[in-house]
């Protein structure tokens, strides 16, 4: 508080000091509250002495109370004056000195006590919310077991070097990021991503700092220093985000900064003009009361403290919100555009059906397709290869853009591609049935003779219908944006409960579409943070899905959902709405208090003691309300949404999101 609440530079100084000192662990350890308690005790003793007739002794003790209370804000106000800064502490210092000069020792002491209490509570609230974020680093164990020269030893996380092999036993946490080189286990990432379901992990799987080994012992090769781990990066990014200002915070600053000198001018005018109309001492006293009544500290701290609390709470639930601007925009979202592959789907396509023409086996169809796909990195190619054993790659493989592949295998000419480029022949009805159900179908042909068809699907995330229903309950519209064909996109969207479908889009088309949606309401785009970068940048808020450990996704998006559970999306939107409501409540309360107290103080309706009490009580209310932003808002319960198409036909597709008809456009 003090001058710290009147400008960004002072705020940062206060918060940095709180971090450097690690802050008070308990409420009674706060220096400002200790001095407030001392001042309160002295004020009580002074009051008792005055009542007993020892007025001189009572005045001396009461003056000592005023000095003890003023010790929390006068030194800072003097330092800021030397730097040519004027803030709330300056107003309080002038008011306290003026009260003492007028012989109002009790009022000066009350001002010091109550102002110190409000300042101490603010300090403690900021430190507490920041400590909750820094506690994430406590997930890193104090030591790590590492194999060096064949000998296992325990070292501090800071002593780990790239290439070290950590031994992670059941129940232990990973000290830094790495890759499993031996063993198989399940990893509990709930403290980092907010997901309660353990993730199966084997050789080649990534292990993030803070993950708990829930299965067998594994060896993990270190890929990042402890100071550069994904967990340390999360904390660093969120701390930076808490410094960024949102619209509401900038509004509070814009109001508070000029308000301070304006209040001083107003007080001087009241004292000067009043002296011409009546008793100069009376009007001087009223001017001092106005200084206190118009103090904008509650206004200036209202939004920053809310941002600190809300962003820190979101990070502990697996969502990185990039500061006040992103938080406030997130709270105003009216529509969400969802990418399909990797967002609504798992991005792990599998072969779900193989249809062979008469006289041909399913194995023959699959082997021929795999021979053409053997060297392809396309997701659908990986699905076909995963469904076969060892296969000999075809020769002279050529990709026909937008159609498919051709090559030579065992002396035979092979073609694989989408219906239309390869004739469906007797499989026309089967192909239409599978496509209508949302599957990607490719046809295989040998020496101009159709062998069969392969259907591939990418599983819809099981929580997708629940998420769409949750967004609807929040009054948020949803739309699917995909590069896949319209039939496939429609089938999958129906399963998820989405009615607005935009298919066959190029990345630049997605960006244009999002730009058009923004003309009606605030729009958030949810994607993978890389392929959907243009749309993420165009939206009012870009949300990266599954961003844990992905630098690009974390850096490019306004909000990064660290886990793979899509249910975090409506949760973070509801949380942001709640935080924005808290911001508006605080700004409104702060302005109302100032607007009411100034005229009452100027016309002598309220004295200094009453104004001090009301004003500091308002600051305490603002602080308490801001802390409410740390509470994660729960979504209202609802019944489970049933997919719009029968389960037997609930097939979906993995697309390349580059337009066209899925696989074959990239083959």
């Amino acid at each position: 508080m003090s001058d710290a609440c009147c400008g960004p530079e002072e705020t940062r100084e206060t918060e940095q000091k709180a971090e450097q000192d690690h802050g008070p662990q308990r409420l009674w350890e706060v220096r400002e509250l200790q001095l407030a308690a001392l001042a309160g005790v002295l004020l009580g003793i002074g009051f008792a002495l005055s009542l007993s007739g020892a007025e001189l002794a009572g005045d001396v003790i009461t003056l000592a109370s005023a000095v003890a209370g003023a010790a929390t804000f006068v030194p800072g106000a003097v330092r800021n004056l030397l730097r040519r800064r004027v803030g709330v502490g300056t107003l309080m210092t002038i008011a306290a000195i003026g009260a003492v000069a007028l012989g109002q020792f009790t009022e000066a002491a009350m001002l010091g006590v109550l102002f110190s209490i409000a300042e101490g509570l603010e300090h403690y609230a900021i430190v507490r919310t920041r400590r909750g974020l820094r506690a994430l680093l406590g997930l890193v164990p104090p030591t790590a077991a590492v194999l060096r020269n064949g000998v296992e030893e325990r070292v501090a996380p800071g002593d780990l070097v790239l290439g070290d092999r950590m031994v992670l036993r059941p129940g232990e946490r990973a000290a830094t990021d790495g890759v499993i080189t031996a063993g198989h286990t399940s990893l509990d990432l709930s403290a980092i991503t907010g997901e309660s379901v353990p993730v199966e992990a084997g050789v080649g799987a990534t292990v993030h700092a803070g993950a708990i080994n829930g299965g067998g012992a594994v060896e993990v090769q270190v890929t990042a220093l402890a100071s550069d781990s994904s967990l340390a990066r999360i904390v660093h990014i969120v701390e930076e985000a808490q410094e960024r200002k949102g619209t509401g915070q900038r509004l509070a600053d814009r109001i508070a900064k000029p308000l301070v000198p304006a209040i001083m001018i107003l007080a001087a005018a009241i004292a000067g003009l009043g002296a011409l109309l009546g008793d100069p001492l009376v009007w001087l006293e009223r001017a001092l009361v106005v200084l206190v009544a118009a103090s904008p500290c509650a206004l200036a701290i209202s939004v920053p403290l809310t941002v600190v609390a809300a962003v820190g709470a979101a990070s502990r639930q697996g969502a990185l919100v990039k500061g006040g601007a992103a938080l406030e925009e997130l709270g105003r979202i009216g529509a969400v555009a969802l990418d399909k592959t990797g967002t609504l789907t798992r991005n792990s396509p599998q072969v779900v059906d193989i249809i062979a023409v008469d006289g041909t086996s399913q194995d023959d169809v699959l082997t021929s397709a795999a021979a053409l796909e053997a060297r392809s990195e396309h997701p659908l190619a990986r699905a076909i290869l995963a469904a076969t054993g060892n296969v000999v790659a075809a020769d002279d493989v050529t990709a026909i853009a937008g159609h498919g592949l051709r090559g030579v295998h065992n002396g035979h000419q092979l073609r694989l591609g989408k219906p239309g480029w390869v004739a469906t022949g007797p499989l026309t009805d089967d192909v239409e049935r599978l496509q209508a159900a949302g599957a990607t179908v490719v046809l295989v042909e040998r020496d101009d003779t159709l062998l069969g068809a392969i259907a591939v699907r990418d599983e819809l995330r099981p929580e997708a219908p629940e998420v769409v229903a949750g967004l609807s309950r929040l009054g948020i519209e949803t739309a699917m944006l995909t590069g896949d064909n319209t039939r496939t996109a429609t089938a999958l969207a129906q399963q998820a409960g989405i009615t607005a479908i935009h298919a066959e889009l190029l990345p630049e088309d997605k960006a244009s579409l999002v730009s058009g949606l923004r003309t009606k309401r605030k729009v958030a785009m949810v994607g993978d943070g890389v392929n959907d970068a243009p749309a993420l940048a165009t939206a009012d808020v870009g949300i990266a899905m599954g961003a844990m450990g992905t630098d690009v996704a974390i850096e490019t998006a306004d909000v990064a959902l660290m886990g793979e559970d899509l249910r975090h999306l409506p949760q973070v939107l509801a949380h942001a709405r709640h935080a924005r409501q808290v911001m508006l409540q605080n700004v409104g309360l702060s302005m109302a208090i100032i607007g009411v107290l100034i005229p009452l103080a100027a016309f002598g309706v309220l004295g200094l003691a009453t104004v001090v009490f009301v004003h500091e009580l308002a600051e305490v209310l603002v602080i308490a309300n801001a802390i409410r932003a740390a509470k994660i808002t729960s979504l209202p319960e609802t019944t489970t949404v049933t997919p719009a198409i029968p389960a037997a036909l609930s097939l979906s597709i993995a697309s390349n999101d580059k337009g066209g008809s899925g696989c074959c456009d990239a083959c």
Side-chain angles (χ1 to χ4, degrees):
M1 198 176 291
S2 68
D3 287 2
C5 57
C6 288
E9 294 182 8
E10 292 88 343
T11 302
R12 284 194 292 270
E13 290 176 0
T14 300
E15 293 174 352
Q16 288 169 358
K17 182 181 185 299
E19 289 182 0
Q20 291 168 359
D21 297 340
H22 302 290
Q25 297 294 321
R26 299 174 181 83
L27 194 62
W28 58 83
E29 294 177 356
V30 179
R31 175 180 174 273
E32 291 85 355
L33 295 180
Q34 291 173 344
L35 287 172
L38 173 61
V41 170
L42 291 175
L43 178 59
I45 294 173
F47 183 71
L49 288 173
S50 297
L51 288 179
S52 65
E55 294 185 2
L56 180 59
D59 288 345
V60 171
I61 298 298
T62 303
L63 182 59
S65 171
V67 171
T72 63
F73 58 88
V74 171
V78 173
R79 286 194 299 270
N80 282 312
L81 279 175
L82 295 176
R83 300 172 188 170
R84 297 183 179 179
R85 296 181 193 157
V86 176
V88 175
T90 309
L91 302 183
M92 294 301 178
T93 299
I94 294 173
I97 293 174
V100 171
L102 293 174
Q104 298 182 356
F105 299 153
T106 301
E107 286 76 5
M110 286 186 63
L111 185 151
V113 170
L114 294 176
F115 189 69
S116 296
I117 290 174
E119 187 177 50
L121 290 176
E122 180 205 347
H123 181 193
Y124 181 73
I126 289 178
V127 171
R128 194 183 75 168
T129 53
R130 285 185 175 274
R131 185 183 295 118
L133 172 63
R134 300 294 300 183
L136 284 175
L137 292 179
L139 298 178
V140 176
T143 62
V146 62
L147 291 174
R148 290 177 177 172
N149 299 321
V151 178
E152 182 178 326
E153 57 181 291
R154 301 202 73 86
V155 300
D159 294 332
L160 291 170
V161 298
L162 299 181
D164 269 345
R165 283 191 302 155
M166 293 188 297
V167 178
L168 201 58
R169 294 182 172 82
E172 292 184 339
R173 290 186 184 271
T176 187
D177 298 343
V179 175
I180 296 177
T181 57
H184 187 277
T185 187
S186 60
L187 298 174
D188 181 357
L189 299 173
S190 58
I192 307 170
T193 66
E195 297 179 19
S196 57
V197 180
V199 177
E200 294 296 317
V203 175
T206 300
V207 178
H208 298 292
I212 302 175
N213 181 8
V218 293
E219 292 184 12
V220 180
Q221 184 174 354
V222 174
T223 57
L225 300 179
S227 58
D228 297 326
S229 70
S230 54
L231 194 60
R233 189 166 61 248
I234 290 171
V235 174
H236 175 67
I237 289 175
V238 176
E239 285 182 336
E240 283 188 338
Q242 289 176 333
E243 300 293 340
R244 297 191 180 110
K245 294 183 178 296
T247 304
Q249 187 168 347
R250 289 191 294 267
L251 174 62
D253 286 341
R254 286 200 301 269
I255 295 173
K257 212 164 188 177
L259 188 58
V260 173
I263 291 167
M264 298 181 71
I265 294 172
L266 174 63
I270 290 174
L273 294 176
L276 299 176
L277 301 175
D279 187 347
L281 291 179
V282 171
W283 287 98
L284 178 59
E285 180 181 344
R286 291 182 181 180
L288 294 175
V289 177
V290 167
L291 284 178
V292 177
S295 170
C297 202
L299 171 67
I301 69 171
S302 58
V303 178
L305 189 55
T306 304
V307 169
V308 170
V311 171
S315 71
R316 294 192 295 277
Q317 296 295 319
L320 297 188
V321 182
K322 298 287 201 63
L327 181 70
E328 192 166 352
E329 286 294 280
L330 200 62
R332 301 168 64 192
I333 291 300
V336 171
L338 295 149
D339 174 47
K340 181 177 71 65
T341 306
T343 301
L344 287 170
T345 68
R346 295 180 180 277
N347 197 23
S348 57
Q350 297 176 334
V351 173
V352 294
D353 202 357
I354 302 172
I355 301 175
V357 300
D358 293 338
T360 304
S361 68
Q362 290 184 341
D363 287 342
D364 195 12
V365 175
L366 191 59
T367 301
S368 298
L372 289 172
E373 298 279 26
R375 293 187 175 90
S376 175
E377 292 298 325
H378 191 274
L380 297 190
R382 292 197 295 271
I384 292 173
L385 292 172
T388 62
N390 295 328
V391 64
V392 178
D395 298 321
D396 301 325
V397 177
T398 303
I400 309 301
H403 297 288
L405 300 171
R406 64 171 44 165
V408 179
H409 184 245
N410 292 333
H412 297 282
Q413 294 287 335
L414 296 180
R415 282 204 307 162
L416 177 145
K418 67 180 183 179
W421 188 59
V422 177
T424 56
L427 302 182
T428 299
D429 291 341
D430 293 306
V431 169
E432 290 182 353
R433 172 178 57 83
L434 292 169
Q435 286 184 329
T440 292
V441 180
V442 291
L443 298 166
V444 185
E445 186 182 77
R446 182 167 59 202
D447 294 332
D448 298 326
T449 300
L450 182 65
L451 296 180
I454 300 175
V456 180
R457 74 176 179 188
D458 185 10
E459 295 287 354
L460 182 76
R461 294 183 186 274
E463 71 272 15
E466 177 186 346
V467 168
V468 173
L471 293 173
S472 179
R473 294 199 305 277
L474 291 173
I476 297 175
E477 299 177 13
T478 54
M480 177 197 287
L481 275 58
T482 179
D484 232 333
N485 64 75
T486 302
R487 179 179 292 178
T488 296
T490 301
L492 187 138
Q494 287 177 337
Q495 295 179 62
I498 299 174
T499 57
I501 306 159
H502 305 275
E504 303 182 25
L505 301 174
L506 297 171
E508 55 268 29
D509 297 330
K510 291 184 181 181
S512 298
L513 185 60
V514 169
S515 181
L517 293 173
R518 291 180 61 195
T519 60
K520 300 179 181 179
R521 64 190 72 82
K522 294 288 184 180
V523 177
M525 174 68 193
V526 186
D528 60 14
V530 181
N531 295 335
D532 299 305
L536 288 170
T538 303
D540 295 289
V541 178
I543 303 175
M545 179 73 186
M548 183 64 184
T550 306
D551 290 327
V552 174
I554 294 176
E555 293 296 337
T556 57
D558 300 300
V559 179
L561 302 180
M562 306 309 294
E564 295 288 345
D565 192 337
L566 195 57
R567 283 172 290 197
H568 290 309
L569 177 60
Q571 186 69 67
V572 73
L573 286 166
H575 178 60
R577 283 192 175 185
H578 171 64
R580 184 169 180 269
Q581 289 173 355
V582 171
M583 292 181 195
L584 295 177
Q585 290 167 2
N586 281 347
V587 171
L589 176 62
S590 303
M591 293 300 296
I593 292 295
I594 292 175
V596 170
L597 289 184
I598 287 179
L600 293 178
F603 290 103
V605 177
L606 298 179
L608 181 60
T610 304
V611 168
V612 168
F613 178 78
V614 173
H615 192 74
E616 301 309 326
L617 177 61
E619 294 178 18
V620 173
L621 291 176
V622 164
I623 293 170
N625 195 41
I627 294 175
R628 289 178 52 241
K631 179 183 178 182
I632 298 297
T633 305
S634 298
L635 294 174
E637 295 294 331
T638 185
T639 54
T640 303
V641 177
T642 304
I645 58 179
L649 298 179
S650 59
L651 302 178
S652 56
I653 173 179
S655 78
N656 55 18
D657 279 5
K658 294 182 180 179
S661 304
C663 149
C664 299
D665 285 25
C667 289

